[in-house]
Amino acid sequence: MSVLARTSVAPAIVAAMVAAAPAAAAGAPQLRADERLARSLINSTREERNRPSLEVDGSLSKLARRHSRAMAREGEIFHRDDLTEGLSGITWSLVGENVGVGSSVRQVQKAFMHSPPHRHNLLNRDFDEIGIGVVAGEGRSWVTLIFLG
């Protein structure tokens, strides 16, 4: 697999995308309040730019939440070592990941939109599903977004 984008910008966000093959995940999403806000902000942003909304996948969201907890525990942002880890049994052709931390979900979303690699993942027409994981603590929101297409 080749990483197409890994970037770090303030307030601490990182984006990555990998192209590969195995197409989509199912699972009823049970999102927390901050995750529902993230979904709303992401899909509003996409709709404003004539992109279709992303469907939230529960399995991807569990994976994203687990990664956000790991980042919060370590006190730093980082990508999963293998962006395809945890995707067995899911059909996909493209996967991407944005990770970030900030004072709020809104602030992280704003930072994502001001960073070309992150904005690319958020607005990419080839993505149709997303996993959203937000972990809040000590005045910070740790965010992991996993995109599938």
Side-chain angles (χ1 to χ4, degrees), residues 11-35:
I13 56 176
V14 182
M17 187 179 359
V18 174
Q30 294 184 335
L31 299 179
R32 299 171 181 162
D34 280 348
E35 294 165 343

Side-chain angles (χ1 to χ4, degrees), residues 2-149:
S2 63
V3 175
L4 301 179
R6 282 195 189 240
T7 306
S8 181
V9 297
I13 56 176
V14 182
M17 187 179 359
V18 174
Q30 294 184 335
L31 299 179
R32 299 171 181 162
D34 280 348
E35 294 165 343
R36 288 191 305 271
L37 174 59
R39 175 187 59 195
S40 176
L41 293 170
I42 291 164
N43 281 332
S44 293
T45 298
R46 288 177 63 88
E47 290 167 9
E48 289 168 3
R49 289 161 176 83
N50 298 315
R51 307 302 199 273
S53 293
L54 297 173
E55 292 294 322
V56 176
D57 180 86
S59 298
L60 289 176
S61 292
K62 286 179 186 176
L63 186 62
R65 195 176 298 131
R66 189 170 35 239
H67 187 71
S68 290
R69 271 196 300 272
M71 292 189 304
R73 190 173 46 251
E74 296 292 323
E76 63 181 296
I77 59 168
F78 52 89
H79 283 284
R80 295 176 297 130
D81 289 334
D82 179 357
L83 293 181
T84 66
E85 184 179 344
L87 301 181
S88 61
I90 298 173
T91 307
W92 56 274
S93 59
L94 184 68
V95 60
E97 180 181 64
N98 284 3
V99 295
V101 63
S103 60
S104 68
V105 169
R106 287 182 189 279
Q107 195 243 352
V108 174
Q109 171 69 7
K110 185 175 180 179
F112 284 158
M113 288 304 293
H114 283 92
S115 164
H118 301 92
R119 185 174 51 250
H120 175 78
N121 280 349
L122 285 166
L123 299 177
N124 190 331
R125 291 181 189 274
D126 294 327
F127 290 135
D128 52 19
E129 293 187 82
I130 190 169
I132 301 170
V134 178
V135 173
E138 299 183 17
R140 301 174 94 185
S141 293
W142 299 85
V143 179
T144 301
L145 306 176
I146 301 172
F147 304 90
L148 283 186

